[in-house]
Amino acid sequence: MQKHSTIYVPRINRELSKISKFPLTIVTSPMGYGKSTAVKQFLTNSGLRHIWISLNEASRDTGYFWSVFTKRISDIHEKLGNSMDGLGFPRDSMQCSRIINLLKTNSPHDDFVLVLDDYQFAENEMLTDFLMSAVKNRIPNCHIVIISRYLLKYDFHEMTDKNLVCSIDQNTLKFNDEDVKNYFSNMSMYITKDEISHIQRLTGGWAAALYIVCRGLAQGIPLANITEISDLLKKALYEAYDTKTRHLLCLLSIPDDFTADMASSITGIVGLEYEIERLCRENAFINLDLTTNKYTIHSVLRSFLFKEAILLGIDTQEIYRQVGLWHLERNHINQGFYYLFKGEDYDTMLKELEKPALYVKSSDRPMMFHYFDFLPEKQLNDHPIAYLKFVLMFIITGDKKKGAVLLQRLEEELPVRHYTYSDMTEIKAAIHLIKVFLSFNDLDTMIFHTDAVLELLEGRASVISSFQGPFSFGSPHLSYIYYREPGTYKKISKAPLEKYARASGGAGVGSEALCSAEYCLETGDAYSAEILAIKSLYEARSSHQTSMAVCAVFTLARIYILQNRYTEALHVLMELGVDVESNVESILLNTYDLCLGYIYACAGEYKNIPKWIRDGDMTINSLLMQGAVFSYVVYGKSLILSENWAKAEALCETFNNYFKIFNNQLGFIHNCLNLSIAAYKRGNASKSKSNLLNALSIGQADGIMMPFAENGANLLPILHGVHENDGINMEYVSKIIELCSRYDDVVSNLNNTILTQREVEILKLVSKGMSRSEISEKLIISTSTVKTHIQNIYQKLEVSRKSEALEKAARINII
């Protein structure tokens, strides 16, 4: 019997036509009511562009869901998908806000539908909350359809009141008498009213059951003999195939989906492509997704086949294992580990994790942690390197306490473990490498453990390390992390940080030149700082060290403002954005935003500071190991720029608690300056001077000047009130005042380096394709004036033609 298209049911399609009118449509009914088929047919016939994602049990892990989701986004919008993949699944309000803003910025021009099928497998509070946040924010032209067997565990009253959600349930999807008649008519079968009543009693309007009844009737089974759908499923569908095909179907029911290539791999049968295509043509319960080229078996048939597979004695765990291996061969780490875990092949999972080339990015770590909790202790003992990789993942993801406990457990048991000398050497080296991270912010201890790794391994890298990790811990300012005591900054700038690059296989290349550049900049030597920062940037990019490139560009951008080269500062930052978006670590997207926020704050461009920073939408838990709370330096600058002096003073007083965690001296300096400015603006001269003296007291031990200069306009009147009897070196103060004045002059004249309001207006009209005469008519100015403005635009942007001007203006956020 050939497969027929599903009957068009006007009543159901009228309800589904609301999809494009609501941000969210929820379709719920038990298995077999044809909800997925109805939605799929409607979208196909309506021509609505859509992405269809079929979820499975692994999707309950947000990391797995995110990898599938972003991969499908990448298929139609590579840049957006890669950016979302880099950000990782949103685990706090900051990430959620950023992803939603990203979706808004890249929203489609026409209606677009995202379908999440079998959502009951993936449903969890974090995922549902994220989806509902996206719905509430009304991403233009985007519509989400959730298909689930059960009602979602979410209170939709508020969203219903706001007309954000449309619900379709089994009462709509259930076939009535007329639908049943039309269905069989579509299959060229004509039935009486009595037969319709019998079928309705038998199926209850269940679409899947109607198909099974139809199959049975086509095979000559009298309707009167059909009393149980489950028996009919076996007779009409399963037993209609020969023994070989039945066995194949049972095998294919074990994975959630499959390709023809995978089917051949797990069954050992070569050339299954045509056989599977035939089954798909003949059986409505087998479908091919043309976008992914994967086959799926309808849950009604799949549940039956899986039970038959057990009865036939098919080793389901072995099939899971084979599917896992098939995915690993194609570098599908998420899917590979999921199936290996289901097949309980823990040894293969751990062996894969032990491979030096395998780097688990941050978005995939939650899934790994889930597996870790279920892995048998014996297997973990047999794979100590994999165990230590888990320990390192816990630490760098933020669960430092758990990582330390797991590491201590292994160290205590190590004397009674019977590893070879070679393995024991690798284990000890890995332990020292992990202690580098546990010693975060203590540079001497970190170097001690790095030396131990190099000594144990005779100069080569540890197998648990990777050059892909963010060496900067997410801070845009590397030496900021290690500068803990006044008077030690110069020593820190000369620290042999690149020893770690040898111990880790390349992480941190460019760090030594960078720390020297940062020190030179902070102490006012912009000439040397620029040379060293360019050197660091070259070294970092040559070794794919994006975190070092971020820090080097941040240093250069600060230098360029001081040198009255603001357009160039924006240019290097925009170029950096391309590198960051292609990186595997979401932490660097936050870091990049901190760079932008800091630079825009220095230039007085409050509105250009990323919104999450302006809103202070951050938590110490998510950022503690990601840049040693440098975010509060940038947030403080944003508060000052907002000129809400009471709020700035109140919040900055709390920020010192964050800087005390790692004793960040530059953090203290910036915060004291912000408090000084806020108190001065509120008329409290005594408190203002006290905070300024605190900043000067810390800074003079190392000759630090740049944080003062970058607040020059606000600090100059306060600095002039510092005298010799205040206990501060006045020569140091004089140098700061000179640099502050110079910086203030530059920032005051920034408008001369970019376009005037009229020039921006004209350039926007040029970008719309308007000619000089059209612009002249619209703005009521002469064409010669338009020509002069365009010439000035080209000169200021340092370009020679229209296309270059438009590209550069867009890149530096002028238009």
Side-chain angles (χ1 to χ4, degrees):
M1 175 184 177
Q2 290 296 308
K3 174 164 76 173
H4 288 254
S5 60
T6 306
I7 184 67
Y8 176 85
V9 182
R11 172 178 43 77
I12 295 175
N13 281 276
R14 277 196 300 273
E15 290 299 306
L16 291 173
S17 66
K18 296 176 182 177
I19 285 174
S20 59
K21 297 176 179 142
F22 289 85
L24 173 65
T25 300
I26 303 175
V27 184
T28 54
S29 74
M31 180 173 65
Y33 274 87
K35 52 190 177 295
S36 300
T37 304
V39 173
K40 190 170 290 187
Q41 184 188 33
F42 169 77
L43 291 175
T44 300
N45 292 339
S46 67
L48 279 171
R49 292 177 62 232
H50 64 276
I51 291 176
W52 190 286
I53 301 178
S54 298
L55 304 172
N56 55 31
E57 293 173 3
S59 305
R60 196 173 299 276
D61 176 85
T62 51
Y64 183 95
F65 168 84
W66 200 248
S67 68
V68 174
F69 177 50
T70 54
K71 172 64 172 67
R72 294 304 308 279
I73 296 291
S74 296
D75 290 340
I76 60 167
H77 195 315
E78 185 176 5
K79 183 178 179 181
L80 175 61
N82 290 343
S83 296
M84 292 176 67
D85 182 46
L87 279 168
F89 181 84
R91 298 188 175 277
D92 53 43
S93 57
M94 178 188 72
Q95 261 189 306
C96 185
S97 175
R98 164 179 269 147
I99 288 170
I100 288 171
N101 287 337
L102 191 63
L103 290 169
K104 282 185 172 181
T105 303
N106 293 277
S107 62
H109 297 297
D110 302 309
D111 284 332
F112 190 88
V113 182
L114 166 67
V115 183
L116 299 177
D117 193 12
D118 279 330
Y119 188 74
Q120 72 278 351
F121 290 131
E123 184 179 12
N124 63 69
E125 187 175 345
M126 288 181 68
L127 175 56
T128 302
D129 284 348
F130 165 66
L131 293 172
M132 296 312 122
S133 293
V135 169
K136 291 173 184 177
N137 277 275
R138 295 179 182 266
I139 297 164
N141 299 321
C142 283
H143 311 276
I144 299 174
V145 176
I146 292 177
I147 304 175
S148 176
R149 294 181 194 172
Y150 320 116
L151 293 173
L152 273 64
K153 301 168 187 173
Y154 191 87
D155 185 355
F156 287 99
H157 285 98
E158 180 189 353
M159 294 177 66
T160 302
D161 291 341
K162 292 181 178 180
N163 225 27
L164 294 174
V165 60
C166 169
S167 296
I168 299 173
D169 59 21
Q170 68 190 67
N171 292 321
T172 298
L173 298 167
K174 185 177 180 180
F175 276 41
N176 59 31
D177 287 0
E178 187 66 22
D179 297 332
V180 172
K181 178 183 176 181
N182 291 335
Y183 181 89
F184 279 90
S185 176
N186 188 58
M187 295 292 197
S188 301
M189 295 182 183
Y190 301 96
I191 54 178
T192 66
K193 287 184 178 180
D194 289 341
E195 288 173 328
I196 289 174
S197 297
H198 181 81
I199 291 170
Q200 284 289 59
R201 287 194 299 274
L202 188 66
T203 65
W206 200 34
L210 289 175
Y211 174 71
I212 298 168
V213 170
C214 191
R215 291 276 303 208
L217 294 176
Q219 292 175 35
I221 300 174
L223 184 59
N225 291 356
I226 300 174
T227 57
E228 291 289 339
I229 291 298
S230 57
D231 289 340
L232 184 60
L233 177 63
K234 186 172 185 178
K235 292 176 184 177
L237 265 175
Y238 184 63
E239 291 183 349
Y241 296 111
D242 58 37
T243 303
K244 182 180 177 182
T245 304
R246 291 201 296 267
H247 189 267
L248 173 63
L249 285 169
C250 288
L251 288 171
L252 296 179
S253 73
I254 296 169
D256 298 318
D257 51 39
F258 57 90
T259 64
D261 181 50
M262 181 202 291
S264 293
S265 177
I266 65 177
T267 62
I269 304 171
V270 179
L272 277 178
E273 183 176 353
Y274 297 110
E275 176 67 7
I276 293 173
E277 285 180 2
R278 180 182 67 82
L279 289 171
C280 184
R281 285 196 306 272
E282 295 177 355
N283 194 323
F285 281 168
I286 302 174
N287 288 291
L288 172 64
D289 185 336
L290 293 173
T291 58
T292 62
N293 207 31
K294 290 181 180 178
Y295 292 91
T296 55
I297 300 176
H298 192 286
S299 51
V300 172
L301 178 59
R302 188 178 171 214
S303 297
F304 170 82
L305 291 172
F306 192 86
K307 292 175 184 175
E308 288 296 314
I310 302 297
L311 292 174
L312 289 173
I314 292 175
D315 187 345
T316 56
Q317 286 195 328
E318 176 58 20
I319 299 299
Y320 285 137
R321 196 180 78 83
Q322 291 294 334
V323 175
L325 292 173
W326 184 87
H327 278 295
L328 286 183
E329 286 174 3
R330 287 150 185 82
N331 202 32
H332 305 158
I333 302 300
N334 284 322
Q335 296 94 323
F337 272 51
Y338 165 64
Y339 282 108
L340 289 174
F341 186 74
K342 290 192 75 170
E344 297 184 11
D345 187 357
Y346 307 127
D347 280 321
T348 300
M349 290 177 68
L350 293 169
K351 284 177 183 176
E352 188 70 22
L353 192 59
E354 286 176 325
K355 290 181 179 179
L358 181 69
Y359 177 73
V360 182
K361 59 186 181 180
S362 56
S363 58
D364 294 335
R365 288 173 201 147
M367 178 185 67
M368 292 295 181
F369 298 153
H370 169 75
Y371 296 143
F372 180 83
D373 290 337
F374 290 94
L375 289 171
E377 188 173 342
K378 182 185 181 304
Q379 267 83 2
L380 286 169
N381 291 343
D382 291 342
H383 298 276
I385 294 300
Y387 176 89
L388 287 167
K389 273 197 172 183
F390 275 116
V391 172
L392 184 56
M393 279 190 280
F394 278 115
I395 292 169
I396 63 179
T397 304
D399 199 341
K400 188 175 179 181
K401 184 176 180 181
K402 182 170 184 176
V405 169
L406 292 171
L407 184 66
Q408 183 180 356
R409 183 190 304 169
L410 177 62
E411 285 191 280
E412 290 172 351
E413 296 176 2
L414 209 53
V416 296
R417 298 271 186 94
H418 301 291
Y419 299 124
T420 65
Y421 176 80
S422 175
D423 286 345
M424 188 65 81
T425 301
E426 285 287 2
I427 292 166
K428 288 179 178 178
I431 289 172
H432 278 290
L433 191 79
I434 290 171
K435 287 183 176 179
V436 171
F437 288 86
L438 283 175
S439 307
F440 172 78
N441 191 239
D442 183 344
L443 192 55
D444 290 338
T445 306
M446 293 173 77
I447 291 172
F448 168 80
H449 288 296
T450 303
D451 285 338
V453 175
L454 294 172
E455 184 178 347
L456 282 164
L457 300 179
E458 298 179 346
R460 63 181 175 84
S462 168
V463 293
I464 73 161
S465 64
S466 173
F467 74 91
Q468 291 177 279
F471 184 80
S472 66
F473 292 91
S475 172
H477 193 307
L478 185 63
S479 57
Y480 162 93
I481 298 172
Y482 306 110
Y483 175 35
R484 299 173 57 189
E485 300 294 336
T488 64
Y489 199 3
K490 188 170 185 178
K491 176 186 173 185
I492 288 165
S493 73
K494 303 297 182 183
L497 288 178
E498 292 198 23
K499 284 184 177 182
Y500 183 80
R502 299 201 301 275
S504 65
V509 170
S511 57
E512 290 184 7
L514 174 66
C515 278
S516 294
E518 291 174 342
Y519 171 77
C520 289
L521 176 60
E522 298 296 356
T523 55
D525 183 2
Y527 176 84
S528 299
E530 183 178 6
I531 294 170
L532 289 162
I534 292 172
K535 178 184 177 185
S536 172
L537 182 60
Y538 173 77
E539 291 174 349
R541 282 183 168 153
S542 298
S543 299
H544 308 289
Q545 289 299 289
T546 308
S547 68
M548 291 297 91
V550 170
C551 294
V553 168
F554 179 54
T555 300
L556 283 171
R558 293 173 69 196
I559 293 167
Y560 291 159
I561 293 179
L562 180 63
Q563 296 174 339
N564 201 18
R565 298 158 64 188
Y566 184 53
T567 301
E568 198 168 343
L570 293 179
H571 175 67
V572 294
L573 281 170
M574 296 310 132
E575 281 189 335
L576 176 66
V578 178
D579 294 341
V580 171
E581 285 177 358
S582 63
N583 194 266
V584 298
E585 282 295 339
S586 62
I587 182 178
L588 293 182
L589 288 160
N590 294 337
T591 311
Y592 179 62
D593 268 5
L594 292 175
C595 293
L596 291 176
Y598 191 102
I599 296 302
Y600 283 132
C602 288
E605 298 183 17
Y606 178 74
K607 289 184 179 179
N608 285 335
I609 297 172
K611 187 175 183 298
W612 68 268
I613 298 175
R614 283 186 278 125
D615 293 345
D617 191 6
M618 58 193 76
T619 65
I620 190 65
N621 289 327
S622 65
L623 296 174
L624 185 58
M625 287 298 290
Q626 300 180 357
V629 297
F630 189 86
S631 52
Y632 287 96
V633 170
V634 187
Y635 184 31
K637 292 181 76 66
S638 170
L639 286 168
I640 293 300
L641 199 57
S642 73
E643 297 187 355
N644 187 337
W645 307 117
K647 182 179 179 181
E649 187 174 353
L651 293 185
C652 287
E653 283 180 351
T654 71
F655 293 172
N656 274 337
N657 293 327
Y658 301 138
F659 299 123
K660 285 177 183 176
I661 295 170
F662 295 116
N663 213 34
N664 302 114
Q665 295 303 302
L666 284 171
F668 289 136
I669 291 174
H670 280 279
N671 207 49
C672 286
L673 295 178
N674 292 334
L675 284 168
S676 177
I677 293 166
Y680 182 82
K681 295 293 185 179
R682 298 190 73 211
N684 192 334
S686 175
K687 186 175 181 180
S688 173
K689 184 174 180 180
S690 174
N691 278 291
L692 176 61
L693 292 176
N694 286 339
L696 290 168
S697 179
I698 297 170
Q700 71 178 351
D702 294 282
I704 292 171
M705 300 170 64
M706 198 62 180
F708 299 87
E710 289 169 331
N711 288 281
N714 287 317
L715 282 181
L716 279 169
I718 316 172
L719 282 164
H720 285 301
V722 177
H723 304 288
E724 290 185 8
N725 58 1
D726 289 319
I728 303 296
N729 184 315
M730 292 308 294
E731 184 180 350
Y732 169 58
V733 174
S734 296
K735 288 180 179 178
I736 287 177
I737 290 174
E738 182 183 348
L739 192 60
C740 282
S741 298
R742 178 179 157 198
Y743 201 95
D744 182 32
D745 288 342
V746 169
V747 173
S748 297
N749 293 320
L750 274 183
N751 287 333
N752 295 329
T753 67
I754 52 179
L755 307 184
T756 65
Q757 185 175 349
R758 175 62 94 182
E759 287 166 347
V760 171
E761 186 178 17
I762 288 173
L763 190 56
K764 285 181 178 179
L765 295 177
V766 170
S767 72
K768 294 177 180 179
M770 294 180 67
S771 65
R772 290 179 184 177
S773 59
E774 289 172 329
I775 295 171
S776 166
E777 184 176 348
K778 182 176 179 61
L779 299 181
I780 317 175
I781 57 177
S782 68
T783 53
S784 61
T785 300
V786 174
K787 180 180 179 182
T788 300
H789 279 307
I790 291 174
Q791 288 173 341
N792 290 338
I793 290 169
Y794 287 2
Q795 183 179 359
K796 289 180 179 181
L797 293 180
E798 300 175 341
V799 296
S800 57
R801 57 175 64 92
K802 181 176 76 172
S803 59
E804 293 175 346
L806 294 175
E807 180 187 353
K808 189 163 187 178
R811 191 168 63 240
I812 63 177
N813 291 333
I814 290 177
I815 61 170

